[in-house]
Amino acid sequence: MSSQTYAALREECCEANRDLAAAGLIDLTFGNISVLGDKAFAIKPSGVPYEKLTPADMVVLNLKGDVIWGNKRPSSDTPTHRRLLAALASSGIRAIAHTHSRSATAFAQAGVALPDFGTTHADYFRGPVPVTRSLTPEEVSGDYEWETGKVILETIDKQTPADVPAILVRNHGPFVWAPSGKKAVEVAVALEIVADLAIKTMAISPTAAPLPRFLAEKHFLRKHGSTAYYGQPG
């Protein structure tokens, strides 16, 4: 294939990965973003420092997992991204971001869903950010990354992906999804902000109550859905 094949997809993916690092969500090389195009997706190569990434480094695969462009090894999390993109694309999801951002990962390691204490949380997430169950020994010893995608989808279940654009994989870290690479970075940043706020809230008041549902719904729906009125039209 020519060097122009999937150029826009690789560019979007590279920019999103670099933005993820610039937002302070990446330590070392812990994390990655994938972006879906027409029946193929681009993803960060495994272990390559973010500051050295170029669009030519991105690896493009089809949804069967075959590399169709690029000469680097794709992220080790590629099967998880592939499973999520295949399942969520019909809902308008084109990008998956995975980080080990510190506050959100602390909740994942504790196996605790991220509580919705305030309107900052409700602006992005419709209710608590859920945490998955633990993977079984059989799932870990088998196709581990593919099974990670399975447990994420199992936890989302029948919820609308746009209502629950993030999840905490127990003992591991957060995954978020969005219609574009840029938006996935934004959601990942928002997740880390509200996780940090939740930790501080619980430190100040261990018995702090969640946001009342009527107020949570108001804040979520004024930014999302057909009745949204936050921001500018279009």
Side-chain angles (χ1 to χ4, degrees):
M1 295 182 181
S2 75
S3 61
Q4 297 304 309
T5 304
Y6 307 116
L9 185 63
R10 291 184 284 113
E11 182 70 38
E12 181 181 359
C13 185
C14 181
E15 181 179 1
N17 274 283
R18 291 179 67 92
D19 286 350
L20 201 66
L25 300 182
I26 300 298
D27 290 313
L28 303 177
T29 57
F30 301 153
N32 37 68
I33 287 185
S34 61
V35 181
L36 179 67
D38 183 17
K39 300 179 182 178
F41 68 97
I43 194 166
K44 178 186 177 291
S46 180
V48 176
Y50 281 78
E51 66 274 13
K52 295 183 178 180
L53 288 177
T54 69
D57 293 321
M58 301 301 105
V59 185
V60 181
L61 304 93
N62 61 27
L63 288 173
K64 294 180 181 179
D66 304 314
V67 173
I68 55 178
W69 199 96
N71 56 15
K72 288 184 168 59
R73 180 183 294 172
S75 166
S76 57
D77 293 308
T78 295
T80 308
H81 287 253
R82 180 165 65 92
R83 188 155 196 177
L84 294 177
L85 288 169
L88 302 179
S90 61
S91 298
I93 300 304
R94 290 186 53 250
I96 307 294
H98 170 49
T99 75
H100 290 247
S101 62
R102 298 183 184 189
S103 296
T105 299
F107 277 92
Q109 292 183 166
V112 175
L114 177 54
D116 54 343
F117 286 125
T119 61
T120 309
H121 182 116
D123 281 342
Y124 279 86
F125 309 102
R126 197 172 190 178
V129 176
V131 64
T132 70
R133 64 169 173 82
S134 298
L135 274 74
T136 67
E138 292 74 22
E139 288 168 332
V140 172
S141 63
D143 195 345
Y144 168 57
E145 291 81 11
W146 183 257
E147 296 297 332
T148 299
K150 184 191 80 172
V151 77
I152 292 171
L153 294 172
E154 173 190 297
T155 306
I156 299 170
D157 193 22
K158 296 179 177 62
Q159 296 177 85
T160 302
D163 289 355
V164 189
I167 202 161
L168 305 171
V169 177
R170 189 180 295 256
N171 308 125
H172 187 168
F175 282 80
V176 311
W177 39 87
S180 68
K182 185 178 183 66
K183 188 66 175 180
V185 174
E186 180 183 331
V187 176
V189 169
L191 179 66
E192 182 63 8
I193 290 169
V194 298
D196 179 65
L197 287 171
I199 290 170
K200 291 172 179 174
T201 299
M202 291 186 292
I204 295 168
S205 176
T207 59
L211 187 67
R213 293 282 18 109
F214 68 88
L215 185 54
E217 286 291 286
K218 179 66 176 181
H219 268 262
F220 185 84
L221 294 174
R222 73 176 188 163
K223 291 189 74 171
H224 306 274
S226 59
T227 60
Y229 59 88
Y230 176 90
Q232 300 303 312

